[in-house]
Amino acid sequence: IERFQRATLAAAREAKVDGVVCGHIHRADLTTIDGLTYCNDGDWVESCTALVEDFQGRLSLLRWTENAEVLVGSQALPLLDGAVALDPAA
């Protein structure tokens, strides 16, 4: 998985883009590495994750459990009235 991540980020750097959005490798991740954004939506079968974009253009990982959660780093936050909760105090 790390080899795939490095290869996609190297291709992004060569193409002079801001990052990559990919799937297929079933480990969800949303991170910045060396100034490039790496987004992997995981999968809807094993991890039940999806990549979502809000109206401000921010990307988040969504994990569906009994209650939908937004993954922020290693922390899972509940969705509030259908809105993405990015702040635990929200």
Side-chain angles (χ1 to χ4, degrees):
I1 291 174
E2 286 78 19
R3 234 180 16 223
F4 175 80
Q5 187 181 60
R6 285 192 304 273
T8 58
L9 289 173
R13 189 171 293 105
E14 185 176 313
K16 297 181 180 8
V17 297
D18 295 329
V20 295
V21 175
C22 56
H24 185 67
I25 293 186
H26 295 232
R27 188 173 79 187
D29 197 3
L30 178 57
T31 189
T32 301
I33 300 172
D34 297 330
L36 297 172
T37 302
Y38 175 82
C39 306
N40 191 312
D41 62 3
D43 68 277
W44 198 247
V45 176
E46 294 172 20
S47 63
C48 298
T49 54
L51 187 65
V52 296
E53 180 180 9
D54 68 16
F55 289 108
Q56 286 74 39
R58 294 177 298 208
L59 296 172
S60 299
L61 283 171
L62 177 72
R63 178 174 59 201
W64 186 262
T65 59
E66 289 296 318
N67 300 302
E69 300 172 326
V70 175
L71 303 178
V72 179
S74 61
Q75 185 176 19
L77 303 174
L79 286 179
L80 301 176
D81 298 326
V84 176
L86 297 177
D87 181 355

